[in-house]
Amino acid sequence: DRDLVATTSLRLASLIANQGGDVTELLRVVGDDPAQTIARRAEALSIIAGQPAVKRDPELANATLARVEPLLLSIESDAVRAKVLHHIGIAFHHLGVASRAFEALAVARELAAELHLYGLASRANAVLSNLALHENDDVDLQAAYAKSAADAAMRAGDTFALQTGLLQMLSAEIRLGHVNNSIEIEQRLASMRTSELASTYLALFRSVRLAWEG
């Protein structure tokens, strides 16, 4: 049953990828099957492309992206197109092709917002926030994307995404020298159950602020 194979493979892949596992072989069953729908093949291949991009295997990542992009125009569902563009944007980000990453993520962000896919919108905005800072050195734009990420995460009820957005907002406010805004975000983060890594970043940002204050 191809529908069952595609649905379970894509859902399982999401869980495995979030834990840092390799989903390439799992998703090849969907991505390499010409009898599968274009939407499912594109979604599977877009996730596959991100894994070698993260692992610094540009040849495999680019080869997979070259298979995904021609399928985009044939995807009937805007929700699936938004997901695929999000994965493509992440792949281009890790490949160091900032312009293509911005292009894909900006469209994913707009589609997700229109469709009220707040979790996806939050994740797309979070990556755009990083790109704005590290590629364009634009702290104001970093802050704007980070706020959009946090707002969307709130609407999605996604605590981890909210934590990410708030940390990015705090990073921007520290760089802009906005002490009061920094304290407010610190307090929001301190009231949440955050990960160990998030607590470390929070302590670092707070130390910078306290250094300003003597």
Side-chain angles (χ1 to χ4, degrees), residues 2 5-6 9-10 13 22-36 40-52 57 59-61 63-65 67-68:
R2 283 188 165 83
V5 169
S9 296
L10 287 165
D22 192 325
V23 298
T24 302
E25 294 306 315
L26 172 64
L27 290 178
R28 283 199 190 283
V29 176
V30 181
D32 292 347
D33 183 356
Q36 278 287 358
R40 283 171 173 158
R41 288 184 62 211
E43 187 174 354
L45 289 170
S46 68
I47 297 171
I48 291 172
Q51 299 235 302
D57 186 348
E59 186 175 345
L60 179 56
T64 308
L65 286 168
R67 295 177 62 194
V68 179

Side-chain angles (χ1 to χ4, degrees), residues 30-197:
V30 181
D32 292 347
D33 183 356
Q36 278 287 358
T37 66
I38 288 176
R40 283 171 173 158
R41 288 184 62 211
E43 187 174 354
L45 289 170
S46 68
I47 297 171
I48 291 172
Q51 299 235 302
V54 171
K55 295 176 180 178
R56 301 293 187 267
D57 186 348
E59 186 175 345
L60 179 56
N62 282 312
T64 308
L65 286 168
R67 295 177 62 194
V68 179
E69 291 188 284
L71 302 177
L72 277 169
L73 293 177
S74 300
I75 298 174
E76 295 182 1
S77 166
D78 283 341
V80 174
R81 186 179 295 107
K83 291 179 186 178
V84 172
L85 285 166
H86 174 243
H87 294 308
I88 287 175
I90 291 174
F92 277 126
H93 172 38
H94 286 286
L95 288 170
V97 189
S99 60
R100 299 297 307 277
F102 266 117
E103 180 184 332
L105 289 163
V107 179
R109 170 182 184 260
E110 291 173 9
L111 286 172
E114 289 172 7
L115 297 167
H116 308 297
L117 300 172
Y118 298 116
L120 180 59
S122 179
R123 294 192 296 275
N125 276 300
V127 184
L128 284 166
S129 180
N130 285 337
L131 284 166
L133 176 64
H134 298 298
E135 299 295 336
N136 292 356
D137 196 25
D138 189 332
V139 182
D140 289 319
L141 189 57
Q142 177 206 8
Y145 280 133
K147 186 177 186 307
S148 294
D151 289 345
M154 282 281 289
R155 301 185 77 168
D158 188 329
T159 303
F160 180 78
L162 176 59
Q163 171 188 287
T164 301
L166 289 174
L167 282 170
Q168 290 177 317
M169 286 175 64
L170 181 56
S171 166
E173 297 295 355
I174 289 287
R175 287 182 169 86
L176 292 168
H178 297 163
V179 174
N180 291 336
N181 291 347
S182 299
I183 293 172
E184 182 181 338
I185 297 170
E186 283 177 20
Q187 290 172 343
R188 287 184 68 185
L189 281 164
S191 68
M192 296 170 59
R193 292 184 62 184
T194 55
S195 66
E196 184 178 345
L197 181 60

